[in-house]
Amino acid sequence: MSAVKKPAKIALAVAVAALLPALTAAPASAVANDDKPGTQGQPGKPADPGKAGKAGKSRKDPDPPPAAMSKVGGAQLGQPGTQVKLGAGAPVLPMDLTGRSWIVADAENGQVLASHNAHWRLPPASTLKMLFADTVLPKFPKTDVHTVIPADLEGMGEGSSIVPLHQNLPYTVHDLWLGVFLRSGNDAVHVLSAMNGGVPKTVQDMQAHADDLQALDTHVVSPDGYDAPGQVSSAYDLTLFARSGLQKKDFREYCSTASAKIPGPEGKNNERDYFEIQNTNRLLTGEPGLSPYKGIAGVKNGNTTNAGATFTGVAERDGRVLLVTVMNPDSSEGQAVYKEAARLLDWGFAAAGKVTPVGELVPPKSAAPSGAPLGSQPSADGARDTAKAAVTAKKGPGSGGIGTALAIAGGALVVVAAGVFLLNRRWPLPELVRRKR
């Protein structure tokens, strides 16, 4: 394929949200088919240890990908199988990659470092909530208050993951988004959809936004990612959703939050107690047998009967920001979707600059080039200086973001240092918001 474009970069930088230190919490009791830590593969299709891939190769799937897939982002991405071009000194791909589809890309310049069936249209599970959030989150101020009514919760799939929210009680929009990102609550998705004019309108809005992002593998049927006939996406599209969502400060805050408190039912004297919810992204929070990934800053995980386990993550190391998506690993290894994502991130950080990109993450249709000469665009160094100034601004409640490393220290996740999240210059540059006390 032709060489991947390398346009000038501009920087968007913010501090990572203050991360609550709790690392373990019991999973939601209502989680039946979605976001089940430790569940792998598809029910009815037991994982076969013999299918674990050899170095650099994924499993041989009994249901093979199409011979020809979308070529958005480059012709090589439309080819089935593993796509990688190793250069001098580049490490080989990691062992035991069993995902039906995966991709690892540089979030700064959009270069796809390696992929496997990147455009295979598969059920997405709750990773589709990234598109939901990217579409709906800007529409309502986080301080708005909504009282949940029974009609808001109609149409949820049986066994849906829930926060839980309680009928006839008020919640802020901030509470609802915490429920979406941390607990993957389908009840919170349906309440926000009701606020947005209903599920059908929200699905229509999501599809229109996916089309603008050039996520052409995606067909939206339900806003929460619950299994539905015809609902599909791809590793490539899910990565586009993450990259677009991470342009938004609130999106960055929510997806990087490890735990938070949500108002519960009314108790004595009509007062409401608060209960803690924990992010089900196990690379962010960890659990026995799986440590949090150093540098992780979101984004979203999912698990349904048809989709199996899915995950999109973003991490920073030594000033480089990578995105990874893994869909439906077929492995007997516990927490396989996270472990395979971590292996791909490790490989990507080690391989960056030593591989020829096999494609690129395209910009939205609406982010057309301005036509300004390259010399009029901010330089990477200048952008980093601007980012540094923004990061050192005073922080307050509600601040959040990506572009920083999250490290393990003293048994807790801590913010190490603020960095920058560089984007293709064809993308719009949101305002850098200085935080107030």
Side-chain angles (χ1 to χ4, degrees):
M1 63 173 277
S2 59
V4 175
K5 299 177 182 177
K6 297 182 178 179
K9 300 174 182 177
I10 55 178
L12 169 63
V14 291
V16 164
L19 215 57
L20 296 176
L23 290 179
T24 57
S29 59
V31 176
N33 287 327
D34 205 341
D35 301 309
K36 297 180 293 184
T39 302
Q40 305 298 339
Q42 299 184 42
K45 291 187 176 181
D48 181 357
K51 290 182 180 179
K54 296 182 179 180
K57 294 187 178 181
S58 296
R59 71 182 183 195
K60 292 182 179 179
D61 204 299
D63 179 21
M69 293 173 282
S70 170
K71 296 181 181 179
V72 172
Q76 192 167 355
L77 296 180
Q79 300 176 17
T82 301
Q83 308 300 321
V84 65
K85 295 181 179 179
L86 301 177
V92 297
L93 283 164
M95 297 284 290
D96 300 331
L97 296 178
T98 69
R100 302 183 91 188
S101 175
W102 53 258
I103 189 171
V104 56
D106 190 314
E108 298 178 342
N109 54 32
Q111 294 176 350
V112 177
L113 305 183
S115 70
H116 181 77
N117 301 324
H119 281 293
W120 194 359
R121 305 180 79 195
L122 298 167
S126 282
T127 44
L128 193 66
K129 288 183 172 78
M130 294 186 295
L131 174 62
F132 170 75
D134 193 36
T135 303
V136 178
L137 194 152
K139 298 186 178 184
F140 305 106
K142 64 169 61 178
T143 54
D144 280 5
V145 177
H146 177 83
T147 297
V148 175
I149 62 175
D152 293 344
L153 304 176
E154 292 177 355
M156 287 199 307
E158 182 178 354
S160 285
S161 53
I162 59 175
V163 175
L165 302 177
H166 299 274
Q167 297 179 12
N168 304 315
L169 290 178
Y171 295 85
T172 65
V173 167
H174 179 69
D175 294 331
L176 297 174
W177 283 117
L178 287 171
V180 170
F181 278 90
L182 275 66
R183 191 58 68 87
S184 202
N186 289 0
D187 49 355
V189 170
H190 279 253
V191 170
L192 287 161
S193 295
M195 295 172 62
N196 188 52
V199 167
K201 179 182 182 299
T202 300
V203 167
Q204 184 178 28
D205 291 349
M206 290 170 65
Q207 189 65 63
H209 188 46
D211 293 345
D212 178 63
L213 293 176
Q214 302 194 62
L216 305 183
D217 300 323
T218 299
H219 179 63
V220 184
V221 178
S222 69
D224 51 28
Y226 192 90
D227 289 336
Q231 181 153 273
V232 291
S233 189
S234 67
Y236 183 88
D237 284 9
L238 293 175
T239 308
L240 289 182
F241 300 153
R243 194 172 188 235
S244 178
L246 290 165
Q247 306 284 311
K248 299 172 176 62
K249 182 177 77 73
D250 287 346
F251 187 107
R252 297 189 296 269
E253 174 190 346
Y254 294 129
C255 80
S256 65
T257 298
S259 62
K261 291 185 177 181
I262 296 289
E266 290 183 341
K268 294 181 180 180
N269 301 321
N270 295 326
E271 294 182 356
R272 300 176 70 180
D273 291 327
Y274 283 74
F275 65 97
E276 187 173 280
I277 60 174
Q278 186 187 41
N279 202 314
T280 56
N281 174 356
R282 299 308 177 194
L283 283 192
L284 183 66
T285 61
E287 72 166 21
L290 181 68
S291 298
Y293 188 84
K294 185 176 180 179
I296 195 72
V299 186
K300 190 72 187 75
N301 56 305
N303 197 316
T304 65
T305 300
N306 290 338
T310 60
F311 176 69
T312 297
V314 64
E316 184 271 347
R317 186 178 296 174
D318 298 328
R320 187 180 298 276
V321 184
L322 296 184
L323 285 161
V324 65
T325 296
V326 176
M327 301 185 75
N328 194 4
D330 181 18
S331 171
S332 60
E333 181 180 34
Q335 307 292 346
V337 75
Y338 300 112
K339 291 179 179 178
E340 294 189 17
R343 290 176 194 134
L344 284 169
L345 285 170
D346 285 344
W347 175 85
F349 287 122
K354 301 175 183 177
V355 296
T356 299
V358 295
E360 67 174 343
L361 301 177
V362 295
K365 295 176 184 176
S366 57
S370 64
L374 290 178
S376 67
Q377 299 295 330
S379 67
D381 290 339
R384 290 178 188 275
D385 291 341
T386 302
K388 183 177 180 181
V391 166
T392 56
K394 294 179 181 179
K395 304 180 182 69
S399 64
I402 180 193
T404 74
L406 299 178
I408 310 305
L413 292 175
V414 297
V415 176
V416 174
V420 293
F421 184 44
L422 299 175
L423 296 173
N424 188 307
R425 63 179 286 269
R426 292 172 292 179
W427 286 54
L429 177 65
E431 293 183 7
L432 293 174
V433 180
R434 289 185 176 271
R435 296 161 185 79
K436 300 178 180 179
R437 286 190 183 273

